[in-house]
Amino acid sequence: MGARVELTRALLAGRAAAHEGAPPTACPHPDRTLLRTAWLRGYGQASNTAAE
């Protein structure tokens, strides 16, 4: 599987976690990785959408 696919999946998983009400600390990816960054970005996008 390509890196771009993995990053997209992490982003979408972060969005889903935010919609489910999971805390941002629920991120399953290790610190200082691109997958964690993508997951947290997705989480933040979903959180910003919910606040508007």
Side-chain angles (χ1 to χ4, degrees), residues 2 4 9 11 14 17 22 26 30-31 35 38 40-42 44-45 47 50:
R4 186 175 276 179
R9 286 185 178 169
L11 182 103
D31 290 347
L35 290 175
L40 291 170
R41 181 174 298 218
Q45 288 174 349
S47 296

Side-chain angles (χ1 to χ4, degrees), residues 5-50:
V5 172
E6 291 177 15
L7 291 171
T8 301
R9 286 185 178 169
L11 182 103
L12 294 174
R15 283 185 193 166
H19 286 296
E20 293 169 3
T25 55
C27 179
H29 303 290
D31 290 347
R32 300 175 193 243
T33 62
L34 290 177
L35 290 175
R36 184 175 186 88
T37 301
W39 192 96
L40 291 170
R41 181 174 298 218
Y43 189 97
Q45 288 174 349
S47 296
N48 289 342
T49 303

